[in-house]
Amino acid sequence: MLIVPEREIAALMTREAAFDAVEQVFAAMAADKAYNFPVVREAIGHEDALYGFKGGFDRSGLTLGLKAGGYWPNNLEKRGIINHQSTVFLFDPDTGKVTAMVGGNLLTALRTAAASSVSIRHLAREDAKVLGMIGAGHQATFQLRAALEQRAFEKVIGWNLHPEMLPNLAKVAEEAGLPFEAVSLDAMREADVIVSITSSFDAILGADQVSPGTHVACMGTDTKGKMEVDPALLARATVFTDEVAQSVTIGEAQHAIAQGLIREQDIIQIGAVINGTHPGRDGADRITLFDGTGVGLQDLAVAAAVVDLAVEKGIAVEVDF
Ligand code: NAD
């Protein structure tokens, strides 16, 4: 078995490798060559922790495994370690033997950013100039860096419930040589692409605060009850997702579905656009919305990629197991 410790991931994994891995696995999912297992997520009644498993099997890439982990809200304060903790385990699909154990913390941020980035590549207008960010926490900086690579953006605008966090975004924009402006939600009408990545349980972005032609990537809603945008926005938009089953149960679409504003059969898997079996954006005035719920196969794809890189560079730790 190979071990790739968390501390090695930053030097090994690139945004480009994460993008390719996630794009490929989304395509495999839409071609019915890869599927996710039902998600387990439990409040374990200890340290207020949420713990669970996300797994799947990609028959085209022969990647089988799971990500185990979750959220320990007291970690940072009590122990000085981050609250999100996860580890990916990969197995040999021919034998069932474990093949790798990989730190999953940084990979989670990279694969989540890669998902919205894939959606921007395939759905945003080519001439997009203004990138709007809603959310300014840990994931938001990864989202911003990845999004900026997809179009020739000229400006970043941002809104966050806690405005004191906005300098996190300003710093990334500055590093990319772009101006950053803190704005009201009404000013999001200026954005050509909007990425939302918050832990909100109420709609932040109104349906009329988005201009025609905008691409919106909703990345924060990954649990029942969470919500980032007015469900009426989904009715105005063409809705795409990583996986329809998750989109309608734990994703942003759960609310529009429950209110009868959209139908499950109208939600399109982003992999179909990647594969060319769906045309994607239909006109410059169309609003496209990507409901990025986060699937286990994304974790497995980036973990498999990082194992290859670790082997190439002689960094993987081999143990007889
Ligand atoms: P974080 O704690 O670092 O940041 C949270 C962000 O949400 C901040 O911008 C904060 O100001 C904002 N926020 C907090 N409470 C809010 C509220 N009630 N209303 C509006 N905004 C609020 O968290 P993070 O690591 O950046 O994660 C952000 C979200 O992304 C979480 O909900 C997390 O579950 C989700 N997430 C999704 C995926 C996926 O694949 N879709 C993957 C990882 C994380």
Side-chain angles (χ1 to χ4, degrees):
M1 175 174 80
L2 299 171
I3 298 176
V4 185
E6 183 68 45
R7 65 174 181 276
E8 304 287 1
I9 307 283
L12 282 171
M13 195 59 179
T14 61
R15 279 194 295 284
E16 200 186 2
F19 183 100
D20 291 345
V22 168
E23 187 183 49
Q24 260 170 38
V25 84
F26 282 169
M29 283 165 60
D32 283 333
K33 291 180 181 150
Y35 75 108
N36 293 288
F37 306 155
V39 175
V40 173
R41 200 163 160 88
E42 294 285 317
I44 58 172
H46 179 76
E47 288 285 351
D48 294 326
L50 282 175
Y51 175 69
F53 314 107
K54 277 188 167 184
F57 180 40
D58 176 358
R59 279 195 308 274
S60 56
L62 288 182
T63 313
L64 173 69
L66 60 91
K67 177 168 86 168
Y71 188 71
W72 275 257
N74 308 321
N75 273 1
L76 195 59
E77 222 163 274
K78 275 196 191 169
R79 301 180 178 89
I81 57 172
I82 66 168
N83 293 347
H84 287 276
Q85 291 293 332
S86 64
T87 307
V88 180
F89 297 88
L90 298 175
F91 297 84
D92 180 344
D94 296 335
T95 63
K97 265 183 76 91
V98 65
T99 54
M101 179 169 113
V102 184
N105 297 349
L106 177 58
L107 285 183
T108 299
L110 290 171
R111 66 77 148 148
T112 306
S116 62
S117 186
V118 165
S119 84
I120 295 168
R121 162 98 48 105
H122 290 279
L123 296 171
R125 288 189 343 266
E126 289 296 333
D127 64 351
K129 295 278 179 283
V130 179
L131 173 61
M133 294 292 305
I134 297 177
H138 180 69
Q139 305 291 333
T141 54
F142 289 88
Q143 294 283 324
L144 176 52
R145 275 190 206 98
L148 287 176
E149 285 167 351
Q150 294 308 323
R151 291 292 184 270
F153 289 109
E154 293 174 354
K155 181 162 97 169
V156 181
I157 59 177
W159 181 92
N160 194 45
L161 182 67
H162 308 101
E164 67 278 10
M165 294 168 83
L166 286 170
N168 293 340
L169 300 179
K171 189 165 168 274
V172 175
E174 258 165 44
E175 280 165 13
L178 294 179
F180 174 81
E181 203 183 311
V183 297
S184 68
L185 287 166
D186 277 337
M188 279 293 157
R189 290 191 188 96
E190 196 196 341
D192 304 303
V193 172
I194 299 173
V195 177
S196 63
I197 182 88
T198 70
S199 13
S200 179
F201 280 80
D202 292 301
I204 299 170
L205 188 67
D208 63 351
Q209 288 171 323
V210 177
S211 293
T214 305
H215 174 63
V216 185
C218 296
M219 303 304 297
T221 299
D222 56 359
T223 304
K224 201 169 163 49
K226 278 190 185 170
M227 185 197 279
E228 295 192 297
V229 304
D230 182 343
L233 178 61
L234 281 83
R236 267 187 84 196
T238 310
V239 181
F240 299 82
T241 189
D242 41 23
E243 189 189 79
V244 176
Q246 285 199 178
S247 173
V248 300
T249 50
I250 59 169
E252 197 62 43
Q254 62 181 290
H255 308 288
I257 289 279
Q259 293 174 25
L261 297 174
I262 61 167
R263 300 174 312 167
E264 182 168 341
Q265 57 267 40
D266 296 332
I267 303 176
I268 303 141
Q269 262 190 299
I270 186 90
V273 183
I274 299 166
N275 287 334
T277 55
H278 187 280
R281 165 171 290 281
D282 159 27
D285 282 343
R286 175 72 64 193
I287 294 174
T288 51
L289 185 146
F290 176 65
D291 184 4
T293 65
V295 293
L297 281 169
Q298 277 171 264
D299 297 299
L300 307 188
V302 290
V306 95
V307 169
D308 288 346
L309 290 166
V311 169
E312 224 173 80
K313 300 208 163 143
I315 287 170
V317 180
E318 191 158 5
V319 288
D320 191 13
F321 180 79

